[in-house]
Amino acid sequence: MPTFLKSDPIYENSNTGDPKSYAYQTARTRWPKIWSSAISTVQTTIDESKLSDQDDIASKIIISKLAALINALARNAPLEPIADDGSSDIEDYNKELLSFKNLTWLAAPWLFAECYIYRLVYTFFSTSSSFWQSHDIFYTEKCQSLVASHVATIELLKRFSQILESIRSGDRHLADEQTEEALFDEMVQIALWGNATDLTLLSSLSVDEVQSRQGKKARDASREHIVVNDTDKVWALLSALKNGKCPSTGVVHIVLDNSGFELLADLVVASYVLEKKFADMVVLHGKAMPWFVSDVNARDFAWLVGSFAEGTYYPDAGRHDKAVIQKTGTYWRDLLSSKKIEYRAHPFWTTQHSFGRMPELQPELFAELAGADLIIFKGDLNYRKLTYDGYWPKTTPFSKAMGPFAEMHGGKGVRTLVLRTCKADVCVGLRAEQEEKLEDGWTRYGKYGVISYWDAKRAD
Ligand SMILES: O=P(O)(O)OC[C@@]1(O)O[C@H](CO)[C@@H](O)[C@@H]1O
């Protein structure tokens, strides 16, 4: 296995040619479904829009490129260099592709090939006519999924509103350490299980199955499925930061994953962090382009906050529910305008690179993360990128699987917390013999979760 950087670990990774990997099934069934459905979405947009002749010709080209991609997957064709669309990330994609020599779709490292496929498809649009250039083929599906989740959404917003009230009223129960810790635990659970509902799973689970994972009942039932749980360590950190027992910069970052219900859960957690004064500012990192079907980009983010604040999110909601929705949307808008919450989309998050490459390839971004009190990574793809998507033995320490990203840098490294439901092959940090009790394929369908923490600022 060639390595792109000298610092990459020599490891066996999930590969689309390996029948024992989830990648095998993904490349043969999930990808063709995702891209066929993209063709239908483009067709619907054409039918619903009055396109100019130029845009109409461009639409046909986009559809033919998507069809050719589906055909290339079926034929196990080689991956071709990505066309230049003026963005600097393409160079590294093509450089790494060359380093593999004759990579074909059905025998490729999963992480590389999957990032490459989303970046490639984006160029079908970014190099097209003006109508299509900023088109997000997944946008409608993302909005619809949140509207379809209105029951769990309203339940979560009501709970959030209660929490805000108790924090603000200085509820004396909240002064008790155990109650405080229980509330933090609830926040972690909300953010973790919010990740169990992404749209790529719809190609293997039904809408009902995905929605049944939302809400408090589902969270409580899933507790026993958390295979690594470092919540207490993170609680110890936050308490130390707040009590001045640990130097603080007052900034927490959340590297987001999916839009819709998961983004809602992440906004709840960001607000909790601010209201409890664990931080003065929360930076949210989204994607700069449509990515892995349901990942958050600027438009999804603006739609969620805007449609809540304006009361257009769920027009059929009752008067009381509507008031809760609008109040929360307005509250988030205010946090954004006062810069207590900031949304950003660094191009690094849509490269193929594992985060262990960040210190060398994106030292400024790495320094910024290292300068914050805590970085919360959400979701499966971020976990795969933290751990090089490697076939590590499951008992490998989390810090070892992260490589240079986890290094101490003289006590100035990154404090990493990952909240991820397992939807791939990789999983580390288990205790010896823990895996024996888990069923075959347990790392795949979002049933199990990990709350893994590594503090690269510790003095020891
Ligand atoms: O990052 P997320 O949204 O938690 O999950 C990403 C995911 O759904 O997309 C890929 C699909 O092949 C897999 O890594 C994983 O199953």
Side-chain angles (χ1 to χ4, degrees):
M1 173 65 54
T3 57
F4 188 63
L5 296 186
K6 278 204 188 80
S7 61
D8 286 352
I10 308 287
Y11 66 105
E12 200 198 339
N13 62 3
S14 295
N15 189 293
T16 60
D18 175 1
K20 71 178 189 305
S21 165
Y22 192 27
Y24 188 88
Q25 187 178 327
T26 298
R28 284 160 186 78
T29 57
R30 294 208 284 165
W31 289 349
K33 273 194 199 167
I34 288 169
W35 303 120
S36 304
S37 126
I39 292 182
S40 315
T41 314
V42 171
Q43 192 55 56
T44 308
T45 308
I46 298 170
D47 297 343
E48 288 171 354
S49 319
K50 275 205 163 66
L51 296 183
S52 67
D53 288 350
Q54 199 199 2
D55 291 327
D56 194 47
I57 295 169
S59 327
K60 294 196 172 77
I61 297 174
I62 290 171
I63 291 184
S64 71
K65 284 181 178 173
L66 285 166
L69 174 62
I70 297 170
N71 185 275
L73 291 173
R75 289 185 293 115
N76 190 19
L79 281 71
E80 305 285 350
I82 302 179
D84 184 5
D85 69 356
S87 298
S88 55
D89 57 332
I90 302 271
E91 193 185 333
D92 269 6
Y93 272 106
N94 289 340
K95 253 200 216 160
E96 186 157 6
L97 176 62
L98 270 182
S99 78
F100 287 119
K101 301 193 176 59
N102 305 324
L103 205 60
T104 60
W105 283 111
L106 304 181
W110 185 19
L111 179 59
F112 176 80
E114 196 157 48
C115 293
Y116 170 98
I117 208 169
Y118 283 92
R119 188 64 185 89
L120 172 72
V121 169
Y122 183 59
T123 62
F124 298 171
F125 294 88
S126 59
T127 59
S128 184
S129 68
S130 56
F131 176 86
W132 293 106
Q133 259 165 32
S134 53
H135 184 76
D136 179 353
I137 19 166
F138 308 122
Y139 179 70
T140 312
E141 203 184 340
K142 286 183 273 190
C143 298
Q144 282 168 351
S145 86
L146 186 61
V147 176
S149 305
H150 64 269
V151 175
T153 297
I154 292 166
E155 181 200 77
L156 181 55
L157 293 184
K158 284 184 176 163
R159 175 68 188 128
F160 173 57
S161 155
Q162 276 174 353
I163 293 171
L164 268 191
E165 236 168 73
S166 359
I167 297 176
R168 286 175 173 179
S169 67
D171 185 341
R172 59 189 174 78
H173 296 297
L174 273 184
D176 142 19
E177 173 76 15
Q178 264 183 348
T179 315
E180 289 248 27
E181 195 170 346
L183 180 58
F184 174 66
D185 181 72
E186 183 182 347
M187 291 297 126
V188 171
Q189 298 292 317
I190 287 172
L192 169 66
W193 296 111
N195 178 243
T197 59
D198 85 80
L199 292 177
T200 60
L201 280 179
L202 286 180
S203 46
S204 39
L205 298 177
S206 71
V207 177
D208 284 350
E209 276 170 313
V210 170
Q211 277 175 14
S212 69
R213 295 168 171 207
Q214 299 168 339
K216 180 166 180 338
K217 244 189 185 164
R219 282 198 299 278
D220 290 346
S222 297
R223 235 168 220 286
E224 62 190 88
H225 296 143
I226 300 173
V227 292
V228 178
N229 191 345
D230 289 334
T231 306
D232 54 344
K233 293 184 191 158
V234 187
W235 176 247
L237 167 76
L238 292 180
S239 307
L241 286 168
K242 195 169 168 180
N243 300 335
K245 292 193 179 137
C246 172
S248 161
T249 57
V251 183
V252 165
H253 292 245
I254 305 181
V255 183
L256 300 168
D257 185 11
N258 298 299
S259 53
F261 191 73
E262 181 168 2
L263 173 59
L264 173 73
D266 296 340
L267 278 165
V268 164
V269 172
S271 315
Y272 159 85
V273 165
L274 291 168
E275 292 286 341
K276 289 296 300 171
K277 306 206 177 351
F278 290 127
D280 308 318
M281 181 189 187
V282 177
V283 182
L284 301 177
H285 296 265
K287 304 296 191 300
M289 64 186 73
W291 191 247
F292 280 66
V293 186
S294 37
D295 281 27
V296 184
N297 59 41
R299 190 174 173 205
D300 305 319
F301 186 78
W303 177 78
L304 189 150
V305 175
S307 70
F308 278 27
E310 283 145 29
T312 51
Y313 153 69
Y314 182 52
D316 295 340
R319 205 157 55 94
H320 179 64
D321 290 351
K322 220 175 201 168
V324 176
I325 296 167
Q326 276 193 273
K327 196 170 134 200
T328 319
T330 312
Y331 165 77
W332 284 331
R333 259 199 183 159
D334 292 346
L335 288 180
L336 283 162
S337 23
S338 59
K339 301 243 178 259
K340 287 193 152 294
I341 289 187
E342 212 173 287
Y343 174 87
R344 295 185 202 159
H346 195 287
F348 186 76
W349 308 120
T350 42
T351 65
Q352 77 276 30
H353 300 305
S354 285
F355 300 153
R357 293 175 177 178
M358 193 192 289
E360 187 172 337
L361 299 181
Q362 277 296 338
E364 281 172 20
L365 178 62
F366 183 75
E368 189 181 11
L369 300 185
D373 288 341
L374 176 68
I375 315 300
I376 306 175
F377 288 93
K378 291 298 312 293
D380 195 74
L381 180 61
N382 281 327
Y383 189 87
R384 287 167 67 195
K385 286 185 163 186
L386 280 166
T387 55
Y388 293 86
D389 212 18
Y391 266 147
W392 306 100
K394 301 283 188 284
T395 50
T396 307
F398 180 44
S399 57
K400 178 169 182 219
M402 282 195 283
F405 194 79
E407 281 167 16
M408 304 297 289
H409 298 269
K412 292 193 181 121
V414 175
R415 283 200 194 99
T416 301
L417 166 65
V418 63
L419 305 175
R420 170 247 189 172
T421 61
C422 308
K423 299 174 211 160
D425 295 319
V426 60
C427 194
V428 295
L430 266 58
R431 294 185 309 279
E433 287 149 41
Q434 196 180 353
E435 200 186 8
E436 288 165 17
K437 299 187 189 95
L438 299 166
E439 68 269 20
D440 281 352
W442 69 272
T443 59
R444 293 185 178 177
Y445 305 107
K447 175 176 165 190
Y448 291 89
V450 300
I451 300 168
S452 293
Y453 176 64
W454 172 249
D455 184 350
K457 293 190 198 303
R458 284 176 325 170
D460 55 321

